[in-house]
mmCIF file of all heavy atoms in Angstrom:
data_model
loop_
_atom_site.group_PDB
_atom_site.id
_atom_site.type_symbol
_atom_site.label_atom_id
_atom_site.label_comp_id
_atom_site.label_asym_id
_atom_site.label_seq_id
_atom_site.Cartn_x
_atom_site.Cartn_y
_atom_site.Cartn_z
ATOM 1 N N MET A 1273 22.716 -21.784 -4.815
ATOM 2 C CA MET A 1273 21.349 -21.956 -5.280
ATOM 3 C C MET A 1273 20.942 -23.425 -5.389
ATOM 4 O O MET A 1273 19.755 -23.746 -5.326
ATOM 5 C CB MET A 1273 21.163 -21.273 -6.638
ATOM 6 C CG MET A 1273 21.305 -19.747 -6.598
ATOM 7 S SD MET A 1273 20.052 -18.903 -5.583
ATOM 8 C CE MET A 1273 21.056 -18.455 -4.135
ATOM 9 N N SER A 1274 21.908 -24.324 -5.532
ATOM 10 C CA SER A 1274 21.596 -25.755 -5.642
ATOM 11 C C SER A 1274 20.991 -26.312 -4.354
ATOM 12 O O SER A 1274 20.345 -27.360 -4.365
ATOM 13 C CB SER A 1274 22.850 -26.545 -6.012
ATOM 14 O OG SER A 1274 23.785 -26.552 -4.941
ATOM 15 N N LYS A 1275 21.184 -25.602 -3.252
ATOM 16 C CA LYS A 1275 20.643 -26.047 -1.968
ATOM 17 C C LYS A 1275 19.234 -25.527 -1.715
ATOM 18 O O LYS A 1275 18.638 -25.802 -0.679
ATOM 19 C CB LYS A 1275 21.565 -25.593 -0.835
ATOM 20 C CG LYS A 1275 22.969 -26.196 -0.906
ATOM 21 C CD LYS A 1275 23.831 -25.699 0.243
ATOM 22 C CE LYS A 1275 25.234 -26.300 0.172
ATOM 23 N NZ LYS A 1275 26.083 -25.830 1.289
ATOM 24 N N ILE A 1276 18.725 -24.741 -2.670
ATOM 25 C CA ILE A 1276 17.396 -24.138 -2.529
ATOM 26 C C ILE A 1276 16.455 -24.797 -3.534
ATOM 27 O O ILE A 1276 16.682 -24.743 -4.739
ATOM 28 C CB ILE A 1276 17.460 -22.621 -2.767
ATOM 29 C CG1 ILE A 1276 18.422 -21.974 -1.768
ATOM 30 C CG2 ILE A 1276 16.072 -22.012 -2.654
ATOM 31 C CD1 ILE A 1276 18.723 -20.523 -2.053
ATOM 32 N N LYS A 1277 15.391 -25.412 -3.029
ATOM 33 C CA LYS A 1277 14.500 -26.175 -3.895
ATOM 34 C C LYS A 1277 13.727 -25.284 -4.866
ATOM 35 O O LYS A 1277 13.596 -25.598 -6.048
ATOM 36 C CB LYS A 1277 13.526 -26.986 -3.039
ATOM 37 C CG LYS A 1277 14.183 -28.075 -2.218
ATOM 38 C CD LYS A 1277 13.163 -28.810 -1.361
ATOM 39 C CE LYS A 1277 13.834 -29.856 -0.483
ATOM 40 N NZ LYS A 1277 12.852 -30.518 0.431
ATOM 41 N N ASN A 1278 13.186 -24.185 -4.364
ATOM 42 C CA ASN A 1278 12.344 -23.325 -5.193
ATOM 43 C C ASN A 1278 12.769 -21.868 -5.062
ATOM 44 O O ASN A 1278 12.889 -21.351 -3.946
ATOM 45 C CB ASN A 1278 10.871 -23.454 -4.768
ATOM 46 C CG ASN A 1278 10.353 -24.871 -4.892
ATOM 47 O OD1 ASN A 1278 10.152 -25.370 -6.001
ATOM 48 N ND2 ASN A 1278 10.123 -25.526 -3.759
ATOM 49 N N LYS A 1279 13.017 -21.230 -6.213
ATOM 50 C CA LYS A 1279 13.370 -19.812 -6.242
ATOM 51 C C LYS A 1279 12.240 -19.047 -6.948
ATOM 52 O O LYS A 1279 12.004 -19.260 -8.135
ATOM 53 C CB LYS A 1279 14.683 -19.596 -6.993
ATOM 54 C CG LYS A 1279 15.925 -19.955 -6.197
ATOM 55 C CD LYS A 1279 16.297 -21.415 -6.243
ATOM 56 C CE LYS A 1279 16.848 -21.849 -7.569
ATOM 57 N NZ LYS A 1279 17.307 -23.270 -7.558
ATOM 58 N N ILE A 1280 11.561 -18.176 -6.199
ATOM 59 C CA ILE A 1280 10.401 -17.472 -6.734
ATOM 60 C C ILE A 1280 10.662 -15.973 -6.728
ATOM 61 O O ILE A 1280 10.999 -15.400 -5.690
ATOM 62 C CB ILE A 1280 9.143 -17.771 -5.898
ATOM 63 C CG1 ILE A 1280 8.820 -19.274 -5.936
ATOM 64 C CG2 ILE A 1280 7.950 -16.956 -6.398
ATOM 65 C CD1 ILE A 1280 7.704 -19.681 -5.004
ATOM 66 N N VAL A 1281 10.509 -15.335 -7.875
ATOM 67 C CA VAL A 1281 10.645 -13.877 -7.939
ATOM 68 C C VAL A 1281 9.272 -13.238 -7.853
ATOM 69 O O VAL A 1281 8.295 -13.740 -8.426
ATOM 70 C CB VAL A 1281 11.374 -13.413 -9.226
ATOM 71 C CG1 VAL A 1281 12.773 -13.976 -9.282
ATOM 72 C CG2 VAL A 1281 10.604 -13.800 -10.474
ATOM 73 N N VAL A 1282 9.181 -12.153 -7.085
ATOM 74 C CA VAL A 1282 7.946 -11.377 -6.969
ATOM 75 C C VAL A 1282 8.214 -10.040 -7.642
ATOM 76 O O VAL A 1282 9.117 -9.304 -7.237
ATOM 77 C CB VAL A 1282 7.543 -11.172 -5.495
ATOM 78 C CG1 VAL A 1282 6.254 -10.350 -5.413
ATOM 79 C CG2 VAL A 1282 7.362 -12.518 -4.798
ATOM 80 N N MET A 1283 7.460 -9.736 -8.684
ATOM 81 C CA MET A 1283 7.749 -8.550 -9.475
ATOM 82 C C MET A 1283 6.461 -7.808 -9.830
ATOM 83 O O MET A 1283 5.353 -8.310 -9.625
ATOM 84 C CB MET A 1283 8.518 -8.938 -10.742
ATOM 85 C CG MET A 1283 7.805 -9.922 -11.646
ATOM 86 S SD MET A 1283 8.850 -10.564 -12.987
ATOM 87 C CE MET A 1283 9.293 -9.043 -13.831
ATOM 88 N N SER A 1284 6.647 -6.596 -10.379
ATOM 89 C CA SER A 1284 5.502 -5.803 -10.825
ATOM 90 C C SER A 1284 5.973 -4.904 -11.950
ATOM 91 O O SER A 1284 7.160 -4.650 -12.108
ATOM 92 C CB SER A 1284 4.938 -4.957 -9.682
ATOM 93 O OG SER A 1284 5.887 -3.995 -9.268
ATOM 94 N N GLY A 1285 5.034 -4.424 -12.722
ATOM 95 C CA GLY A 1285 5.394 -3.514 -13.799
ATOM 96 C C GLY A 1285 5.621 -2.096 -13.306
ATOM 97 O O GLY A 1285 6.293 -1.314 -13.961
ATOM 98 N N LYS A 1286 5.053 -1.746 -12.146
ATOM 99 C CA LYS A 1286 5.130 -0.392 -11.627
ATOM 100 C C LYS A 1286 5.190 -0.421 -10.105
ATOM 101 O O LYS A 1286 4.893 -1.428 -9.485
ATOM 102 C CB LYS A 1286 3.934 0.441 -12.088
ATOM 103 C CG LYS A 1286 2.601 -0.049 -11.539
ATOM 104 C CD LYS A 1286 1.433 0.764 -12.089
ATOM 105 C CE LYS A 1286 1.417 2.188 -11.618
ATOM 106 N NZ LYS A 1286 1.243 2.308 -10.153
ATOM 107 N N GLY A 1287 5.567 0.714 -9.543
ATOM 108 C CA GLY A 1287 5.599 0.831 -8.104
ATOM 109 C C GLY A 1287 4.220 1.134 -7.529
ATOM 110 O O GLY A 1287 3.258 1.402 -8.265
ATOM 111 N N GLY A 1288 4.118 1.079 -6.210
ATOM 112 C CA GLY A 1288 2.882 1.452 -5.550
ATOM 113 C C GLY A 1288 1.803 0.405 -5.526
ATOM 114 O O GLY A 1288 0.650 0.699 -5.203
ATOM 115 N N VAL A 1289 2.148 -0.845 -5.857
ATOM 116 C CA VAL A 1289 1.131 -1.909 -5.869
ATOM 117 C C VAL A 1289 1.239 -2.822 -4.649
ATOM 118 O O VAL A 1289 0.510 -3.807 -4.542
ATOM 119 C CB VAL A 1289 1.203 -2.745 -7.167
ATOM 120 C CG1 VAL A 1289 0.952 -1.863 -8.383
ATOM 121 C CG2 VAL A 1289 2.528 -3.478 -7.289
ATOM 122 N N GLY A 1290 2.162 -2.523 -3.734
ATOM 123 C CA GLY A 1290 2.301 -3.337 -2.535
ATOM 124 C C GLY A 1290 3.103 -4.606 -2.740
ATOM 125 O O GLY A 1290 2.932 -5.582 -2.011
ATOM 126 N N LYS A 1291 4.016 -4.576 -3.696
ATOM 127 C CA LYS A 1291 4.779 -5.776 -4.044
ATOM 128 C C LYS A 1291 5.619 -6.307 -2.882
ATOM 129 O O LYS A 1291 5.649 -7.516 -2.623
ATOM 130 C CB LYS A 1291 5.656 -5.475 -5.256
ATOM 131 C CG LYS A 1291 6.616 -6.591 -5.650
ATOM 132 C CD LYS A 1291 7.537 -6.138 -6.749
ATOM 133 C CE LYS A 1291 8.213 -4.835 -6.425
ATOM 134 N NZ LYS A 1291 8.991 -4.861 -5.156
ATOM 135 N N SER A 1292 6.333 -5.418 -2.182
ATOM 136 C CA SER A 1292 7.184 -5.865 -1.079
ATOM 137 C C SER A 1292 6.351 -6.440 0.064
ATOM 138 O O SER A 1292 6.739 -7.434 0.690
ATOM 139 C CB SER A 1292 8.049 -4.710 -0.566
ATOM 140 O OG SER A 1292 8.988 -4.318 -1.551
ATOM 141 N N THR A 1293 5.212 -5.826 0.333
ATOM 142 C CA THR A 1293 4.315 -6.358 1.358
ATOM 143 C C THR A 1293 3.833 -7.747 0.972
ATOM 144 O O THR A 1293 3.752 -8.653 1.809
ATOM 145 C CB THR A 1293 3.111 -5.418 1.558
ATOM 146 O OG1 THR A 1293 3.582 -4.142 1.996
ATOM 147 C CG2 THR A 1293 2.149 -5.970 2.590
ATOM 148 N N VAL A 1294 3.527 -7.938 -0.300
ATOM 149 C CA VAL A 1294 3.114 -9.255 -0.782
ATOM 150 C C VAL A 1294 4.262 -10.259 -0.625
ATOM 151 O O VAL A 1294 4.062 -11.376 -0.144
ATOM 152 C CB VAL A 1294 2.660 -9.184 -2.259
ATOM 153 C CG1 VAL A 1294 2.504 -10.588 -2.846
ATOM 154 C CG2 VAL A 1294 1.348 -8.428 -2.373
ATOM 155 N N ALA A 1295 5.472 -9.862 -1.012
ATOM 156 C CA ALA A 1295 6.622 -10.760 -0.913
ATOM 157 C C ALA A 1295 6.861 -11.191 0.530
ATOM 158 O O ALA A 1295 7.098 -12.379 0.814
ATOM 159 C CB ALA A 1295 7.869 -10.087 -1.484
ATOM 160 N N VAL A 1296 6.821 -10.232 1.444
ATOM 161 C CA VAL A 1296 7.050 -10.536 2.870
ATOM 162 C C VAL A 1296 5.987 -11.495 3.395
ATOM 163 O O VAL A 1296 6.293 -12.480 4.079
ATOM 164 C CB VAL A 1296 7.063 -9.236 3.696
ATOM 165 C CG1 VAL A 1296 6.908 -9.523 5.187
ATOM 166 C CG2 VAL A 1296 8.362 -8.480 3.447
ATOM 167 N N ASN A 1297 4.737 -11.229 3.083
ATOM 168 C CA ASN A 1297 3.670 -12.077 3.607
ATOM 169 C C ASN A 1297 3.608 -13.438 2.921
ATOM 170 O O ASN A 1297 3.171 -14.418 3.532
ATOM 171 C CB ASN A 1297 2.327 -11.346 3.518
ATOM 172 C CG ASN A 1297 2.168 -10.318 4.622
ATOM 173 O OD1 ASN A 1297 1.907 -10.659 5.771
ATOM 174 N ND2 ASN A 1297 2.357 -9.050 4.282
ATOM 175 N N LEU A 1298 4.067 -13.529 1.678
ATOM 176 C CA LEU A 1298 4.205 -14.844 1.047
ATOM 177 C C LEU A 1298 5.281 -15.662 1.765
ATOM 178 O O LEU A 1298 5.089 -16.851 2.047
ATOM 179 C CB LEU A 1298 4.568 -14.696 -0.432
ATOM 180 C CG LEU A 1298 3.445 -14.344 -1.401
ATOM 181 C CD1 LEU A 1298 4.009 -14.205 -2.817
ATOM 182 C CD2 LEU A 1298 2.342 -15.407 -1.378
ATOM 183 N N ALA A 1299 6.411 -15.021 2.059
ATOM 184 C CA ALA A 1299 7.486 -15.709 2.776
ATOM 185 C C ALA A 1299 6.987 -16.221 4.126
ATOM 186 O O ALA A 1299 7.268 -17.360 4.528
ATOM 187 C CB ALA A 1299 8.681 -14.776 2.958
ATOM 188 N N LEU A 1300 6.242 -15.382 4.831
ATOM 189 C CA LEU A 1300 5.711 -15.785 6.138
ATOM 190 C C LEU A 1300 4.674 -16.890 5.998
ATOM 191 O O LEU A 1300 4.607 -17.795 6.840
ATOM 192 C CB LEU A 1300 5.103 -14.569 6.833
ATOM 193 C CG LEU A 1300 6.138 -13.605 7.410
ATOM 194 C CD1 LEU A 1300 5.544 -12.220 7.563
ATOM 195 C CD2 LEU A 1300 6.633 -14.107 8.760
#
């Protein structure tokens, strides 16, 4: 982890909000 400048978690309180799609498109 010391070689990674920024570690960002993408989370939600519930399922069905498109969290993984958001995470993928943020990465891109």
